[in-house]
Amino acid sequence: MSGPVLLVVAHGSRDPRHAETVHALVRRVRSLEPGLRVETGFLDFNAPAVPGVLERLAFEGVRDVVALPLLLTRAFHAKADIPAVLAQAPPRLRVRRAAVLGPSPLLLAAVGRRLREAGLTDADRSTTGLVLASAGSTDPEAIAAIADMARELRHTGWCAVRPAFASAALPRTEDAVRELRASGVRRVAVAPYVVAPGFLPDRIARGAADADVLADVLGPSPELARLLLQRYGQALAGAGGPAALSA
């Protein structure tokens, strides 16, 4: 594949595992489409920063970029931070902004993969309560997106699914675990609905202390890599937004 440069825009973190995971995901994307140039830029904490990447691309003669937010929902970073930083792009660059990652059936598949890797089988779903634990947001659209994702997971066979948040919204992970225990489910699993490790994912893990199973973050999963390429393609096609979960 050739075409505009794909610029993956990640949040960034003081935790070195965050950038390592982002870079691993980008490497997987490159392996799926060797002819596509894929760059990474961070909003904060890590280098290279997005404005510097855009300046470098323009200096090299690149004219067309698709900026893809490495975000699961449309919250403050997607609505304010990323548009503001992309507005600083050199005028000779054409920058198209791809949709955020969620919702997507590929995210459902990535969560399922991580739970299987943690030891759960499809047969376990009917006796397992699941906590879908996200970083959290004050944005009603983002909170609603997490609730929608939890409902979609419930339709895949889990006996109960509860959304939870590490910050900014309730319930917390530990409260959702207790609620499922009180409802009488045989087993409780926690699935972190986050891309990479960091401060808030660590809080999710602490909140899962009384759960039976804790899955890994989504990380460089094959499904997430395919989703990045899907969003890139949709941006090139001028698609209005992400596909519905039921698509």
Side-chain angles (χ1 to χ4, degrees), residues 50-201:
V50 174
V53 177
L54 294 170
E55 289 284 352
R56 174 169 55 81
L57 291 173
F59 179 78
E60 293 176 6
V62 172
R63 291 293 178 263
D64 208 355
V65 174
V66 171
L68 196 162
L70 196 61
L71 302 170
L72 298 174
T73 62
R74 271 179 43 81
F76 182 80
H77 294 304
K79 294 177 179 179
D81 287 347
I82 290 178
V85 76
L86 294 180
Q88 303 173 34
R92 56 191 175 276
L93 272 183
R94 179 191 184 194
V95 180
R96 282 175 277 189
R97 183 154 50 100
V100 298
L101 300 178
S104 170
L106 287 168
L107 289 173
L108 290 170
V111 170
R113 172 187 291 274
R114 294 304 186 221
L115 287 162
R116 288 192 300 274
E117 291 171 349
L120 291 173
T121 67
D122 289 344
D124 292 325
R125 295 187 180 198
S126 62
T127 56
T128 302
L130 179 63
V131 176
L132 183 72
S134 75
S137 174
T138 58
D139 187 293
E141 182 180 353
I143 294 171
I146 301 301
D148 287 345
M149 183 72 170
R151 280 191 291 272
E152 291 294 330
L153 282 165
R154 176 68 180 84
H155 295 156
T156 64
W158 303 96
C159 72
V161 182
R162 300 286 186 273
F165 307 91
S167 68
L170 296 174
R172 295 288 186 260
T173 303
E174 53 269 32
D175 298 327
V177 170
R178 280 195 292 268
E179 180 185 347
L180 286 171
R181 288 273 187 229
S183 72
V185 297
R186 184 179 302 175
R187 182 189 298 107
V188 176
V190 173
Y193 192 54
V194 293
V195 172
F199 175 75
L200 292 178

